[in-house]
Amino acid sequence: MDNARPIGVFDSGIGGMTVVRAIMQHLPHENIVYFGDTARVPYGPKSPQVVREYALQDTDVLLKHDVKLIVIACNTVSAVALDVVQKRAKVPVVGVIIPGAEAAVKASAKKRIGIIGTLGTIFSNAYTNAIRQIDPAVKVTGQPCPLFVPLAEEGWIDHKATELIAKEYLFPLTLEKVDTVVLGCTHYPILRKIIQKVLHSDVTLIDSGEATTVAVKKMLKDMHLENTSTQKPNLKFFVSDVPHKFMEIGEQFLGTKLGKVHRVEGFLT
Amino acid sequence: MDNARPIGVFDSGIGGMTVVRAIMQHLPHENIVYFGDTARVPYGPKSPQVVREYALQDTDVLLKHDVKLIVIACNTVSAVALDVVQKRAKVPVVGVIIPGAEAAVKASAKKRIGIIGTLGTIFSNAYTNAIRQIDPAVKVTGQPCPLFVPLAEEGWIDHKATELIAKEYLFPLTLEKVDTVVLGCTHYPILRKIIQKVLHSDVTLIDSGEATTVAVKKMLKDMHLENTSTQKPNLKFFVSDVPHKFMEIGEQFLGTKLGKVHRVEGFLT
């Protein structure tokens, strides 16, 4: 069956598993193939040129698995390489920026939105441009938070140091009186509680991965590509490296057991 | 002149510039070629298999510049890939582990040494093994400090959050009553002040990069490879990516202006 072909998801590393988690919840019958470029993670601080090159290689890994649709779980890739991935793939490609931007505009009554993400995502202005295209009247404030990724990977989700760091990073957003903040990095949902605590309690947090999943669901329906099988779906995880603490961190991000993880051989040469 | 050939230094990224800084101080007449694999940094959390593969590629970059000696500035590479680099290069190769271990044993009166480093360096037990080979009576305590690298790159060298994190990481070393701690990562000298503040003030900090430079100086002398020219030395910097904030962070690590930085083309494919 054509529609039983898997959804392909890729990310710079483990973070995209928060997106897989959302897909599993919203689209429980879909088969999924995941690729995480753990040998070269993180993409966030790297130049757009390098990120675009890596994104094409990641796309090729998924295309070998005959995916019916590609989700770019990584915000940095979605911000700087959506066009090249769309050009390479012969299947629909969804990034996390546009669904995240749409959800944010919908949620923001005061039209004041904050974006937090990696250096790459924030410097690209991708969220700002996407939001302005939907509603030019929105005031957007971007804030890179480079320490959030390593803090999430350390599992320091409720640590005093994380709170201190969050206070420093998020202060400019508070000054700007934003009523909505986009978690513009797949790692950040792990720190959701502490981010919500530091921001005013009535600030709405938008999980771009979650928003993207809703977009994917609609797209599959519109294109008649939904998997109608009610069999237990197939989940396959591929990585370019199996780094230290991989299983431990991966399962925290996925929210369940990871099962077998395959290393893509020959990916490094 | 043969002795005018440069010393080659490589690292996973920018951190190794603290070693270049030490070489410039101790060996002011030597030409230096530096390569930082900024397209794939960091190596610390990655598997030994991947780090060994990358280390060989980094070595090849330096060999093209006809270096007379190679310094592996990266602790993770020195810990897991010294043997493969030595086999590949036809010139002497010095890692930071053995010089760091020797300096630590010399400094530790109580024979209680702490090692701080990346996950890769600590899990490899390379420092522990090197120290035990010199003096089996020494008690060694290893502690990975994954957040120190991103904190150093953020430039948060005097931040309350950094102090909190340092307190948590270094507590087990205090419990073990170490009198000497090896800064087993090229980024850590940047955080030296706060590490010293958190540890007892009479704990001796060993900068492996500094210790390695002393070893290089002796080796060049023994092999009659010293550059006798008194001309201003040539410093060349190569990277595999020019990431965000590169110049800013690089100059903080090098302690001086960086000058022109060349991107190694074709390194990614």
Side-chain angles (χ1 to χ4, degrees):
Chain A
M1 262 286 285
D2 207 39
N3 286 13
R5 285 183 301 155
I7 296 174
V9 181
F10 78 85
D11 180 48
S12 57
I14 294 174
M17 289 193 187
T18 60
V19 180
V20 173
R21 185 181 190 160
I23 295 177
M24 286 162 67
Q25 281 164 358
H26 291 273
L27 297 158
H29 302 302
E30 296 295 338
N31 299 310
I32 301 171
V33 173
Y34 181 86
F35 177 66
D37 189 9
T38 43
R40 303 187 296 199
V41 71
Y43 289 0
K46 284 156 195 162
S47 71
Q49 183 186 359
V50 158
V51 172
R52 287 161 77 89
E53 214 164 323
Y54 289 171
L56 286 177
Q57 293 169 4
D58 302 341
T59 303
D60 289 343
V61 173
L62 292 181
L63 291 175
K64 279 187 195 137
H65 292 275
D66 193 26
V67 294
K68 62 181 175 185
L69 180 142
I70 289 177
V71 179
I72 306 177
C74 178
N75 280 265
T76 309
V77 174
S78 302
V80 305
L82 177 63
D83 56 337
V84 292
V85 174
Q86 279 178 327
K87 208 173 155 191
R88 171 75 57 104
K90 304 281 175 241
V91 296
V93 176
V94 189
V96 291
I97 304 282
I98 294 166
E102 286 172 345
V105 172
K106 218 168 153 183
S108 176
K110 290 201 271 171
K111 294 185 190 284
R112 300 184 84 85
I113 298 174
I115 313 291
I116 55 176
T118 64
L119 288 167
T121 300
I122 299 306
F123 287 175
S124 75
N125 281 319
Y127 273 108
T128 308
N129 295 339
I131 288 171
R132 295 234 174 99
Q133 208 140 7
I134 304 165
D135 184 348
V138 175
K139 174 86 165 56
V140 186
T141 309
Q143 175 64 42
C145 306
L147 286 163
F148 278 1
V149 168
L151 283 167
E153 295 207 343
E154 264 291 63
W156 287 19
I157 55 177
D158 194 26
H159 196 284
K160 192 136 179 41
T162 310
E163 193 175 332
L164 254 178
I165 293 166
K167 272 184 185 160
E168 176 137 347
Y169 281 151
L170 302 176
F171 182 65
L173 303 187
T174 311
L175 269 188
E176 287 291 339
K177 297 193 175 29
V178 300
D179 68 352
T180 302
V181 169
V182 178
L183 305 174
C185 172
T186 49
H187 277 72
Y188 296 1
I190 300 290
L191 302 177
R192 188 179 189 127
K193 260 195 194 163
I194 221 158
I195 293 169
Q196 185 74 69
K197 187 179 166 191
V198 167
L199 291 167
H200 204 279
S201 63
D202 59 6
V203 170
T204 306
L205 297 186
I206 302 293
D207 177 343
S208 279
E210 190 89 23
T212 302
T213 302
V214 176
V216 168
K217 190 173 180 175
K218 185 176 178 311
M219 195 180 247
L220 289 180
K221 201 180 166 195
D222 291 350
M223 300 175 91
H224 308 290
L225 276 173
E226 292 160 301
N227 190 11
T228 49
S229 161
T230 52
Q231 284 193 309
K232 194 172 178 290
N234 220 327
L235 304 176
K236 282 190 186 155
F237 294 100
F238 295 86
V239 289
S240 49
D241 185 25
V242 182
H244 298 286
K245 296 172 90 180
F246 175 79
M247 297 305 279
E248 186 187 320
I249 301 172
E251 290 180 353
Q252 186 180 7
F253 278 61
L254 189 63
T256 180
K257 287 272 165 211
L258 250 177
K260 192 167 162 47
V261 173
H262 310 266
R263 176 164 170 218
V264 180
E265 293 295 334
F267 192 72
L268 307 171
T269 52
Chain B
M1 262 287 284
D2 207 40
N3 285 15
R5 284 183 300 155
I7 294 174
V9 181
F10 78 86
D11 181 48
S12 57
I14 295 174
M17 289 191 186
T18 60
V19 180
V20 173
R21 183 181 192 162
I23 295 177
M24 286 162 68
Q25 282 164 357
H26 291 272
L27 297 157
H29 301 301
E30 296 295 338
N31 299 310
I32 301 172
V33 174
Y34 181 86
F35 177 65
D37 189 9
T38 42
R40 304 188 295 199
V41 70
Y43 289 180
K46 283 157 195 161
S47 70
Q49 183 186 358
V50 159
V51 172
R52 288 162 76 89
E53 215 163 322
Y54 289 171
L56 286 177
Q57 293 168 5
D58 302 341
T59 304
D60 289 344
V61 173
L62 292 181
L63 290 176
K64 278 185 196 137
H65 291 274
D66 193 24
V67 294
K68 62 181 174 184
L69 180 143
I70 289 178
V71 177
I72 306 177
C74 178
N75 281 263
T76 309
V77 174
S78 302
V80 305
L82 177 63
D83 56 338
V84 291
V85 174
Q86 279 178 327
K87 209 173 152 191
R88 172 73 57 103
K90 304 282 176 241
V91 296
V93 176
V94 188
V96 290
I97 304 283
I98 294 166
E102 285 172 345
V105 171
K106 218 167 154 183
S108 176
K110 289 202 271 172
K111 294 185 190 286
R112 299 184 84 86
I113 298 174
I115 312 292
I116 56 177
T118 65
L119 289 167
T121 299
I122 300 304
F123 288 175
S124 75
N125 280 318
Y127 273 108
T128 308
N129 296 338
I131 289 172
R132 294 233 174 101
Q133 209 141 7
I134 304 165
D135 183 348
V138 174
K139 174 85 169 54
V140 186
T141 308
Q143 175 65 42
C145 307
L147 286 164
F148 278 2
V149 168
L151 284 167
E153 295 207 343
E154 265 292 62
W156 286 20
I157 55 176
D158 194 27
H159 196 284
K160 190 134 182 42
T162 310
E163 192 174 333
L164 254 179
I165 292 167
K167 273 185 184 158
E168 176 138 346
Y169 281 151
L170 302 176
F171 181 64
L173 302 187
T174 310
L175 267 189
E176 288 291 339
K177 300 192 171 32
V178 301
D179 68 352
T180 303
V181 169
V182 178
L183 305 175
C185 172
T186 48
H187 277 72
Y188 296 0
I190 300 292
L191 302 176
R192 187 178 191 128
K193 261 196 193 161
I194 221 159
I195 292 168
Q196 186 76 67
K197 186 178 166 191
V198 168
L199 290 167
H200 205 280
S201 63
D202 60 7
V203 170
T204 306
L205 297 186
I206 301 293
D207 177 344
S208 279
E210 189 89 24
T212 301
T213 301
V214 176
V216 167
K217 190 171 181 176
K218 185 176 178 309
M219 193 180 247
L220 289 180
K221 199 177 168 198
D222 292 350
M223 300 174 90
H224 306 291
L225 277 172
E226 291 159 302
N227 190 10
T228 48
S229 161
T230 51
Q231 285 194 309
K232 195 172 178 290
N234 220 326
L235 304 176
K236 282 190 185 157
F237 293 100
F238 295 86
V239 289
S240 49
D241 185 24
V242 183
H244 298 286
K245 297 171 87 178
F246 175 80
M247 297 305 278
E248 186 187 321
I249 301 172
E251 291 181 352
Q252 186 179 7
F253 278 61
L254 188 64
T256 180
K257 285 273 166 211
L258 250 176
K260 192 169 162 48
V261 173
H262 311 265
R263 177 164 169 217
V264 180
E265 292 296 332
F267 192 72
L268 308 170
T269 50

